[in-house]
Each structure stands twice: as C-alpha cells, then as structure tokens.
Amino acid sequence: MDDKKKVIFSGIQPSGELTIGNYLGAIKNWVKLQDQYDCFFCVVDLHAITVRQVPADLRRRTLELLAIYIAAGIDPDKNTLFIQSHVPAHSEAAWLLNCNSYMGELGRMTQYKDKSQKMGDSIIAGLFNYPVLMAADILLYNTDLVPVGKDQTQHLELARDIAQRFNNTYSPTFVIPEGYIPEEGAKIMSLQEPTKKMSKSDDNQNSFILLLDPPEVIRKKVSRAVTDGIGVVNYTDEQPGVKNLINIICAIKGLKPEEVLENYKGKGYAELKSDVAETLISELAPLQEKVKSILSDKTYLEDIYRKGADKANYIANKTLRKMQKKIGFIPR
Ligand code: TYM
C-alpha cells in the first residue's frame, strides 16, 4: 500500500435492492477513483437496521451488495471491502460522537425531517442519530474524500462539523473530509415523478430501476417513464423527465449533456427512451452475470470480508483509542 495515497471512505445500506441511482451516484465513481486513493468501501448494515429488517433478507442483501461492489469493478485486492458490523469501533465511536453532537443539528437533517413527518413519534431513535454513525464511519479512517450522491451532502457537512468540534474541544484528531459528488449521476430522479429522487423505498415499482432488473423489466419501466408534452428532446429544468433520461445516458457513457443531445435532433422521446433502456441493459447485463457467479462462491466472499475487516479493525481501533484517550478514559 502506498502510504502517501489519500483515503476514500464510502458505503451503501443493504436495506433494499439497489437502484441505478445508487450505482450511478456512488459505485460507478468508486470504480473510477480506486487507483488513485486508498479506498474503504463498506456495506453499512448498522445503518440498515434504522428500518426494521427481516433477518434472512438482511443477510442475503449484505452479501449481494458486497458481490455488486466487486462485480461493478471494485478490485478486492486493491481496496478494503468490509461489513460495518464486523468493525465494532463504528458503534463505539458513534457513541462518543453522539456525546459531541447537538439535537438541534441532527433535527435539521432533511432526510430525518421527511421521515419523522411520515412516522411521527414512532420514528426509530436510530434514524435521528444515524448521521452521527455516518460521521464515525468516515472519521475513523482519516478519510480525505467521500464519494456519494447529492442527497448525502448535508450528512457530510454534519460529519465535518462534528470533526471540527471534536478537534477544537480536545486537540486535532480527525482529518476534515471533503465530498466528491459526480456531475451527471449525482441525483438520478424517479421515473414517475422526476422532481423527486429515485429511491429504493418508493412504493411505485415503476419509479425506479433496480440494478438487478432483467432487460424486459428495464425496457418496460423506461418506456413508462414520465416525460412532458413538449415533444422535443432538450436538457432543461422545464423538462425534468427528459433531463433525467439524458443524465442516465451521460452517467453511464461519461458524456456531457450537449454530446448526447446531438443525437436527438429531429427525434422524439420514443427514440430517447429506447436508447436509455439499451444503454442500461448493456451496462447492467454483464454486471448481473458477475454478481450471480460471485454469489455462488461464498468462501470467496467470506475471504474478502474477513480480510477487509482485519484491516479496517486495525485502522479504526487506532483512531478510536486516540478518541478515548483524549476524552479522558483510562487506557486498557
Ligand atoms: P444510501 O444507502 O441511501 O445510498 C448509497 C449511495 O447512493 C447514492 N444515491 C443516489 N445517487 C444518485 N441518485 C440517486 N437517486 C441516489 N440514491 C442514492 C447516495 O448518495 C449514496 O452515496 N448514509 C448513506 C450510507 C453511508 C455512508 C457512510 C456514505 C453510511 N455511512 C459513510 C458515505 C460515507 C446512505 O444512506 O446511502
């Protein structure tokens, strides 16, 4: 390992099937960045239980998510891939940071506000504290860069605030992390309500495309995507549905919106939709094949997450010990 490399940390919750939003907003960028950075990619199962999980499903999704990371091109020999609950320092550091965080700042998180509006008093306390656990994830590894989608920017800001506060209260302990938000894949929108984020927890199945959706399902969902009555392929906020479809092509092919628009002079939405579907299928079909084959070899996966946890535990514990010492706990 090159000690001079800067550190990346990111994670995804195994709380539902992954959408192309998770893939284009996060994983695809991890693949691009993995050679320049020392990367920690985590399956954040502690985060997933902020929503009630069926135990067998959680187990299946955790391994599936790890297989997806690898199938998408994250090299397990170059990067540290691990499961969050295998590194107890995350939970311990989260407690220490909770005692350095304010109710007010956590209550301002829009994701929490949205959820608490829906759930009222029976909202799980973990949903309120969740951004502090996310801060612990990031700060334990002296992370420089956090590649995430746009919806996580507020949580990232909070992680920076918490780190700065801890550094000021005690003494410099944490690196202050920066976000890395992609240009076109930063926020993939719902196919049914294109002013809303595409989300795996949406009730409407047609609003999202899952990473593991078969080709015929992808074609059907894209063909039903909501557009508008304008009928001309443009890239503007007045046509959010069309803009979203163009963004999907851009994020997959690494193109700028202007370059994609070139192909649609004099063409309509049907052509655009059919191209979006085929672009998605050619990107996802090979990945899906790889996921299947990786999942069929449980010992291979076990070997990866065990090795990953060994390395992650070593680094996370070092930071945790530093935190404990500064706070005033007796060293063991
Ligand atoms: P999660 O599991 O909701 O989402 C995982 C990643 O996918 C991105 N994402 C999207 N990007 C573009 N368009 C979308 N529609 C879309 N939906 C989701 C998210 O921005 C995220 O990058 N709290 C985090 C997980 C986490 C984490 C961390 C991330 C826990 N600890 C430490 C980074 C660092 C979450 O709930 O992501």
Coordinates of all heavy atoms in Angstrom, one line a residue, residues 43 59-72 74 76 80-83 86 290-310:
V43 N -20.2 -2.1 3.5 CA -21.6 -2.4 3.5 C -22.2 -2.0 4.8 O -21.8 -2.7 5.8 CB -21.8 -3.9 3.2 CG1 -23.3 -4.3 3.2 CG2 -21.2 -4.3 1.9
R59 N -29.3 -10.6 5.7 CA -28.1 -11.4 5.4 C -27.9 -11.5 3.9 O -26.8 -11.3 3.4 CB -28.3 -12.8 6.0 CG -27.8 -12.9 7.5 CD -27.7 -14.3 7.9 NE -29.1 -14.9 8.1 CZ -29.8 -14.7 9.3 NH1 -29.2 -14.1 10.3 NH2 -31.0 -15.2 9.4
R60 N -29.0 -11.8 3.2 CA -28.8 -12.0 1.7 C -28.4 -10.7 1.1 O -27.5 -10.7 0.2 CB -30.2 -12.5 1.2 CG -30.2 -12.6 -0.3 CD -31.6 -13.0 -0.9 NE -32.7 -12.1 -0.5 CZ -33.0 -11.0 -1.1 NH1 -32.2 -10.5 -2.1 NH2 -34.0 -10.2 -0.7
R61 N -29.0 -9.6 1.5 CA -28.7 -8.3 0.8 C -27.3 -7.9 1.1 O -26.6 -7.2 0.3 CB -29.6 -7.3 1.2 CG -31.0 -7.4 0.6 CD -31.8 -6.2 0.8 NE -33.2 -6.4 0.4 CZ -34.2 -6.2 1.2 NH1 -34.1 -5.9 2.4 NH2 -35.4 -6.4 0.7
T62 N -26.8 -8.2 2.3 CA -25.4 -7.8 2.7 C -24.4 -8.4 1.8 O -23.5 -7.8 1.2 CB -25.2 -8.1 4.2 OG1 -26.1 -7.5 5.0 CG2 -23.8 -7.7 4.6
L63 N -24.6 -9.7 1.6 CA -23.6 -10.4 0.7 C -23.8 -10.0 -0.8 O -22.9 -9.9 -1.5 CB -23.8 -12.0 0.8 CG -23.4 -12.5 2.2 CD1 -23.5 -14.0 2.2 CD2 -21.9 -12.2 2.5
E64 N -25.1 -9.8 -1.1 CA -25.4 -9.4 -2.5 C -24.7 -8.0 -2.8 O -24.1 -7.8 -3.9 CB -26.9 -9.3 -2.7 CG -27.4 -9.3 -4.1 CD -28.9 -9.4 -4.2 OE1 -29.4 -10.5 -4.2 OE2 -29.5 -8.3 -4.2
L65 N -24.8 -7.1 -1.8 CA -24.2 -5.8 -2.0 C -22.7 -5.9 -2.2 O -22.1 -5.2 -3.0 CB -24.6 -4.9 -0.8 CG -24.2 -3.4 -0.9 CD1 -24.6 -2.8 -2.3 CD2 -24.9 -2.6 0.2
L66 N -22.1 -6.7 -1.4 CA -20.6 -7.0 -1.5 C -20.3 -7.5 -2.9 O -19.3 -7.1 -3.5 CB -20.2 -7.9 -0.4 CG -18.7 -8.0 -0.2 CD1 -18.1 -6.7 0.4 CD2 -18.4 -9.2 0.8
A67 N -21.1 -8.5 -3.3 CA -20.9 -9.0 -4.7 C -21.1 -8.0 -5.7 O -20.3 -7.9 -6.7 CB -21.9 -10.2 -4.9
I68 N -22.0 -7.0 -5.5 CA -22.2 -6.0 -6.5 C -21.0 -5.0 -6.6 O -20.6 -4.7 -7.6 CB -23.5 -5.2 -6.2 CG1 -24.8 -6.0 -6.5 CG2 -23.6 -3.9 -6.9 CD1 -26.1 -5.4 -6.0
Y69 N -20.5 -4.7 -5.4 CA -19.2 -3.9 -5.4 C -18.2 -4.5 -6.3 O -17.6 -3.8 -7.1 CB -18.6 -3.8 -4.0 CG -19.4 -2.9 -3.0 CD1 -20.6 -2.3 -3.3 CD2 -18.9 -2.7 -1.7 CE1 -21.2 -1.5 -2.3 CE2 -19.5 -2.0 -0.7 CZ -20.7 -1.4 -1.0 OH -21.3 -0.6 -0.1
I70 N -18.0 -5.8 -6.1 CA -16.9 -6.5 -6.8 C -17.3 -6.6 -8.3 O -16.4 -6.3 -9.2 CB -16.6 -7.9 -6.2 CG1 -16.2 -7.7 -4.7 CG2 -15.6 -8.6 -7.0 CD1 -16.3 -9.0 -3.9
A71 N -18.5 -7.0 -8.6 CA -18.9 -7.1 -10.0 C -18.9 -5.8 -10.7 O -18.6 -5.8 -11.9 CB -20.4 -7.7 -10.0
A72 N -19.1 -4.7 -10.0 CA -19.0 -3.4 -10.7 C -17.6 -3.0 -11.0 O -17.4 -2.0 -11.8 CB -19.7 -2.3 -9.8
I74 N -14.9 -3.0 -8.5 CA -14.0 -2.6 -7.3 C -13.1 -3.9 -7.1 O -13.6 -4.9 -6.8 CB -14.9 -2.4 -6.1 CG1 -16.0 -1.4 -6.3 CG2 -14.0 -2.0 -4.9 CD1 -15.7 0.0 -6.3
P76 N -11.1 -6.2 -5.1 CA -10.9 -6.6 -3.7 C -9.5 -6.7 -3.2 O -9.2 -6.6 -2.0 CB -11.6 -7.9 -3.5 CG -11.8 -8.4 -4.9 CD -11.7 -7.3 -5.9
T80 N -10.2 -2.0 0.4 CA -10.7 -2.7 1.6 C -12.2 -2.7 1.6 O -12.8 -1.7 1.7 CB -10.2 -1.9 2.9 OG1 -8.8 -1.7 2.8 CG2 -10.5 -2.7 4.2
L81 N -12.7 -3.9 1.4 CA -14.1 -4.1 1.4 C -14.6 -4.8 2.7 O -14.0 -5.9 3.0 CB -14.5 -5.0 0.2 CG -14.1 -4.5 -1.2 CD1 -14.6 -5.5 -2.3 CD2 -14.6 -3.2 -1.5
F82 N -15.5 -4.3 3.4 CA -15.9 -4.9 4.6 C -17.3 -4.6 5.0 O -18.0 -3.8 4.4 CB -14.9 -4.5 5.7 CG -15.0 -3.1 6.2 CD1 -15.6 -2.7 7.4 CD2 -14.5 -2.1 5.4 CE1 -15.7 -1.4 7.8 CE2 -14.5 -0.7 5.8 CZ -15.1 -0.4 7.0
I83 N -17.8 -5.3 6.1 CA -19.1 -5.2 6.6 C -19.0 -4.4 7.9 O -18.3 -4.8 8.8 CB -19.7 -6.6 6.8 CG1 -19.8 -7.3 5.4 CG2 -21.1 -6.5 7.4 CD1 -20.1 -8.8 5.5
H86 N -18.8 -5.8 11.4 CA -17.6 -6.6 11.8 C -16.5 -5.7 12.4 O -15.5 -6.2 12.7 CB -17.1 -7.3 10.5 CG -18.0 -8.3 10.0 ND1 -17.7 -9.1 8.9 CD2 -19.2 -8.7 10.4 CE1 -18.7 -10.0 8.7 NE2 -19.6 -9.8 9.6
K290 N -22.0 -11.3 -13.4 CA -20.9 -11.4 -12.5 C -21.4 -11.6 -11.1 O -20.8 -12.3 -10.3 CB -19.9 -10.2 -12.6 CG -19.0 -10.3 -13.8 CD -18.0 -9.1 -13.7 CE -17.5 -8.7 -15.1 NZ -17.3 -7.3 -15.2
V291 N -22.4 -10.8 -10.7 CA -23.0 -10.9 -9.4 C -23.4 -12.3 -9.1 O -23.1 -12.9 -8.0 CB -24.2 -9.9 -9.2 CG1 -24.9 -10.2 -7.9 CG2 -23.8 -8.5 -9.3
K292 N -24.1 -12.9 -10.1 CA -24.5 -14.3 -9.9 C -23.4 -15.3 -9.6 O -23.4 -16.1 -8.7 CB -25.3 -14.8 -11.2 CG -26.7 -14.9 -11.0 CD -27.4 -15.6 -12.2 CE -28.3 -14.6 -12.9 NZ -28.6 -15.0 -14.3
S293 N -22.3 -15.1 -10.4 CA -21.2 -16.0 -10.3 C -20.4 -15.8 -9.0 O -20.0 -16.7 -8.3 CB -20.3 -16.0 -11.5 OG -19.1 -15.3 -11.3
I294 N -20.3 -14.5 -8.6 CA -19.6 -14.2 -7.3 C -20.4 -14.8 -6.1 O -19.8 -15.4 -5.2 CB -19.4 -12.7 -7.1 CG1 -18.4 -12.2 -8.2 CG2 -18.9 -12.4 -5.7 CD1 -18.3 -10.7 -8.3
L295 N -21.7 -14.6 -6.2 CA -22.6 -15.1 -5.1 C -22.6 -16.6 -4.9 O -22.9 -17.1 -3.9 CB -24.0 -14.6 -5.3 CG -24.3 -13.2 -4.8 CD1 -25.7 -12.8 -5.2 CD2 -24.1 -13.0 -3.3
S296 N -22.2 -17.3 -6.0 CA -22.2 -18.7 -5.9 C -21.0 -19.2 -5.2 O -20.9 -20.4 -4.9 CB -22.3 -19.4 -7.3 OG -21.1 -19.0 -8.0
D297 N -20.0 -18.4 -4.9 CA -18.8 -18.8 -4.2 C -18.7 -18.0 -2.9 O -18.0 -17.0 -2.7 CB -17.6 -18.4 -5.1 CG -16.3 -19.0 -4.6 OD1 -16.3 -19.6 -3.4 OD2 -15.3 -19.0 -5.3
K298 N -19.4 -18.6 -1.9 CA -19.5 -18.0 -0.6 C -18.1 -17.9 0.1 O -17.8 -16.9 0.8 CB -20.5 -18.7 0.3 CG -21.9 -18.6 -0.1 CD -22.5 -17.2 0.2 CE -24.0 -17.1 -0.1 NZ -24.4 -17.3 -1.5
T299 N -17.2 -18.9 -0.1 CA -15.9 -18.8 0.6 C -15.1 -17.7 0.0 O -14.3 -17.1 0.8 CB -15.1 -20.1 0.5 OG1 -15.3 -20.7 -0.8 CG2 -15.6 -21.2 1.5
Y300 N -15.2 -17.4 -1.3 CA -14.5 -16.3 -1.9 C -14.9 -15.0 -1.2 O -14.1 -14.2 -0.8 CB -14.8 -16.2 -3.4 CG -14.4 -15.0 -4.1 CD1 -13.0 -14.8 -4.3 CD2 -15.3 -14.1 -4.6 CE1 -12.6 -13.6 -5.0 CE2 -14.9 -12.9 -5.2 CZ -13.5 -12.7 -5.5 OH -13.1 -11.6 -6.1
L301 N -16.2 -14.8 -1.0 CA -16.8 -13.6 -0.4 C -16.3 -13.5 1.1 O -16.0 -12.4 1.6 CB -18.3 -13.6 -0.5 CG -18.9 -13.1 -1.8 CD1 -20.4 -13.2 -1.7 CD2 -18.5 -11.6 -2.0
E302 N -16.4 -14.7 1.7 CA -16.0 -14.7 3.1 C -14.6 -14.3 3.3 O -14.2 -13.5 4.2 CB -16.2 -16.1 3.6 CG -16.7 -16.3 5.0 CD -17.0 -17.8 5.3 OE1 -18.1 -18.3 4.9 OE2 -16.0 -18.4 5.8
D303 N -13.7 -14.8 2.4 CA -12.3 -14.4 2.5 C -12.1 -12.9 2.3 O -11.4 -12.3 3.1 CB -11.6 -15.2 1.3 CG -10.2 -15.1 1.4 OD1 -9.6 -15.3 2.5 OD2 -9.5 -14.8 0.4
I304 N -12.9 -12.3 1.4 CA -12.8 -10.9 1.2 C -13.2 -10.1 2.4 O -12.6 -9.2 2.9 CB -13.5 -10.5 -0.1 CG1 -12.8 -11.0 -1.3 CG2 -13.7 -8.9 -0.2 CD1 -13.6 -10.9 -2.6
Y305 N -14.4 -10.4 2.9 CA -14.9 -9.6 4.0 C -14.1 -9.8 5.3 O -14.0 -8.9 6.2 CB -16.4 -9.6 4.2 CG -17.1 -10.8 4.6 CD1 -16.9 -11.4 5.9 CD2 -18.0 -11.5 3.8 CE1 -17.6 -12.5 6.3 CE2 -18.7 -12.6 4.2 CZ -18.5 -13.1 5.4 OH -19.1 -14.3 5.9
R306 N -13.6 -11.0 5.5 CA -12.7 -11.2 6.7 C -11.5 -10.4 6.6 O -11.1 -9.7 7.6 CB -12.4 -12.7 6.8 CG -13.6 -13.5 7.2 CD -13.2 -14.6 8.3 NE -14.4 -15.1 8.8 CZ -14.8 -16.4 8.6 NH1 -14.0 -17.2 7.8 NH2 -15.9 -16.8 9.1
K307 N -10.8 -10.5 5.5 CA -9.5 -9.7 5.3 C -9.8 -8.2 5.4 O -9.1 -7.5 6.0 CB -8.9 -10.0 3.9 CG -8.1 -11.2 3.9 CD -7.2 -11.2 2.6 CE -6.6 -12.6 2.4 NZ -6.9 -13.1 1.1
G308 N -10.9 -7.8 4.8 CA -11.3 -6.4 4.9 C -11.5 -5.9 6.3 O -11.0 -4.9 6.7
A309 N -12.2 -6.8 7.1 CA -12.5 -6.4 8.5 C -11.2 -6.4 9.3 O -11.0 -5.5 10.2 CB -13.5 -7.4 9.1
D310 N -10.2 -7.3 9.0 CA -9.0 -7.2 9.7 C -8.3 -5.9 9.5 O -7.9 -5.2 10.5 CB -8.0 -8.3 9.2 CG -8.4 -9.7 9.7 OD1 -9.2 -9.7 10.7 OD2 -7.9 -10.7 9.2

